[in-house]
Amino acid sequence: MVRSDEIRAAGTDLVKVYTSATGEMHALRGVNVSFRAGSLAVVMGPSGSGKSSLLNLLAARDVPSAGSLRLLGREVSALGRGGLGRLRRHISYVPQRASRALFPHLSAGAQIRQLARLRRVREVDPYAVLSRVGLEHRASSRPADASGGEQQRLAVALALVGTPSLVVADEPTSELDHRSGDQALAVLSEAAAAGSAVVVSTHDERVLAVADRVLQLRHGVLSGEREGRGQALAAIDPTGRVQLPPEALERFPTGRALLTIEDDAVVLRPPGDAG
Ligand code: ADP
Ligand code: MG
């Protein structure tokens, strides 16, 4: 039984700063998110907005610079290397570059059997796994002989071996045509239906059709959120910061707003506006 209220991944004030020779890059600036079992959440946002940074954290492939990250009930900062490794066994990750998820020397069928061993899955039918993404005829081919799209489909198929608690897929349809993209999405939404918490980042509007929830990232900040086909919500962080969508922001060229609290609304007006 899946408890649909069970939170499988949660970040509080998540910060990710990359340090390089040219300086610091603040990729995530205090993000608050949570992901539940049995649902598929989509993270959208322009290139550079922090999607991969967030997904790397959720997949336990990276640790935050600050803030709290709870994965499968564990606080990541309290885990050592071993603990983090054990956690990863229950988390499937489809990286933006799918080839990174593949064993380069193994055929597609052998990849599936190998992963099943690592995840302690007793029985696995590689043919059945491959046919879900239309790769049943490719069981004996190695990653080097596969196209980018085939590698991506294989990575998605691998992500589902052993019904992982959490599935994190970074732009998993970026190299797929409509038909195989739809197949991959069907597989990801089946994983959610089977009880996994599924997080998918994308630019692909088709993914919205299978989303239970859509999160918008901008400049490393969660700017908006929409539940199902319901209302679009702006995210408010615990210190009270709200990020305005661009069409609202352009009304405040001075970067200042007149704020009034009314009975049923909080209103922002450009200063000097009679309202
Ligand atoms: P997205 O996936 O939305 O395109 P990313 O999370 O990949 O965004 O990147 C967010 C920002 O962090 C970008 O400005 C990117 O250049 C920077 N960045 C990502 N990874 C690194 C890294 N390893 N080192 C330095 N900067 C990085
Ligand atoms: Mg990315």
Side-chain angles (χ1 to χ4, degrees):
M1 262 319 278
V2 181
R3 280 181 32 220
S4 61
D5 60 341
E6 187 191 329
I7 292 178
R8 295 271 169 88
T12 310
D13 295 332
L14 277 183
V15 171
K16 183 68 206 180
V17 181
Y18 300 105
T19 312
S20 69
T22 53
E24 285 187 342
M25 177 66 222
H26 293 245
L28 299 174
R29 306 163 183 259
V31 170
N32 293 283
V33 279
S34 64
F35 301 95
R36 290 169 192 279
S39 83
L40 191 153
V42 169
V43 178
M44 296 202 86
S47 184
S49 58
K51 300 183 297 299
S52 294
S53 300
L54 177 62
L55 267 62
N56 284 340
L57 295 178
L58 296 172
R61 266 57 183 184
D62 196 5
V63 292
S65 311
S68 147
L69 176 63
R70 279 186 84 78
L71 298 176
L72 311 180
R74 306 288 187 89
E75 177 62 45
V76 165
S77 62
L79 295 172
R81 253 173 200 280
L84 210 56
R86 280 191 292 280
L87 199 60
R88 282 189 200 135
R89 246 190 249 147
H90 305 280
I91 303 177
S92 278
Y93 176 49
V94 182
Q96 191 160 355
R97 254 195 276 156
S99 60
R100 293 194 177 160
L102 307 177
F103 303 104
H105 54 291
L106 294 182
S107 70
Q111 310 251 355
I112 291 167
R113 283 189 296 273
Q114 173 69 5
L115 198 67
R117 268 193 295 278
L118 291 172
R119 294 201 178 140
R120 316 238 159 104
V121 179
R122 291 260 168 72
E123 278 176 46
V124 68
D125 175 359
Y127 182 84
V129 174
L130 290 173
S131 41
R132 290 171 79 186
V133 292
L135 288 179
E136 59 280 5
H137 58 295
R138 302 292 272 156
S140 57
S141 64
R142 286 164 202 249
D145 305 320
S147 68
E150 285 173 337
Q151 292 182 3
Q152 203 161 36
R153 281 144 77 189
L154 178 58
V156 169
L158 284 172
L160 302 169
V161 171
T163 323
S165 302
L166 181 58
V167 176
V168 178
D170 200 355
E171 306 207 27
T173 61
S174 62
E175 302 202 36
L176 303 184
D177 60 27
H178 267 239
R179 202 172 134 269
S180 17
D182 287 345
Q183 249 171 352
L185 292 178
V187 163
L188 289 165
S189 58
E190 277 168 37
S196 299
V198 183
V199 184
V200 180
S201 81
T202 193
H203 283 292
D204 182 348
E205 298 283 327
R206 283 175 304 165
V207 181
L208 301 182
V210 298
D212 296 308
R213 194 155 59 108
V214 180
L215 307 173
Q216 277 289 343
L217 264 185
R218 263 196 311 135
H219 306 302
V221 174
L222 189 66
S223 63
E225 187 167 341
R226 183 171 62 74
E227 193 82 44
R229 268 142 214 72
Q231 292 175 306
L233 302 177
I236 306 174
D237 81 9
T239 63
R241 283 177 295 208
V242 182
Q243 188 154 11
L244 300 180
E247 63 274 23
L249 182 62
E250 69 191 21
R251 298 191 186 188
F252 300 93
T254 63
R256 295 289 181 277
L258 190 66
L259 183 147
T260 50
I261 298 174
E262 304 180 354
D263 284 346
D264 58 350
V266 174
V267 179
L268 295 177
R269 287 193 184 84
D273 200 55

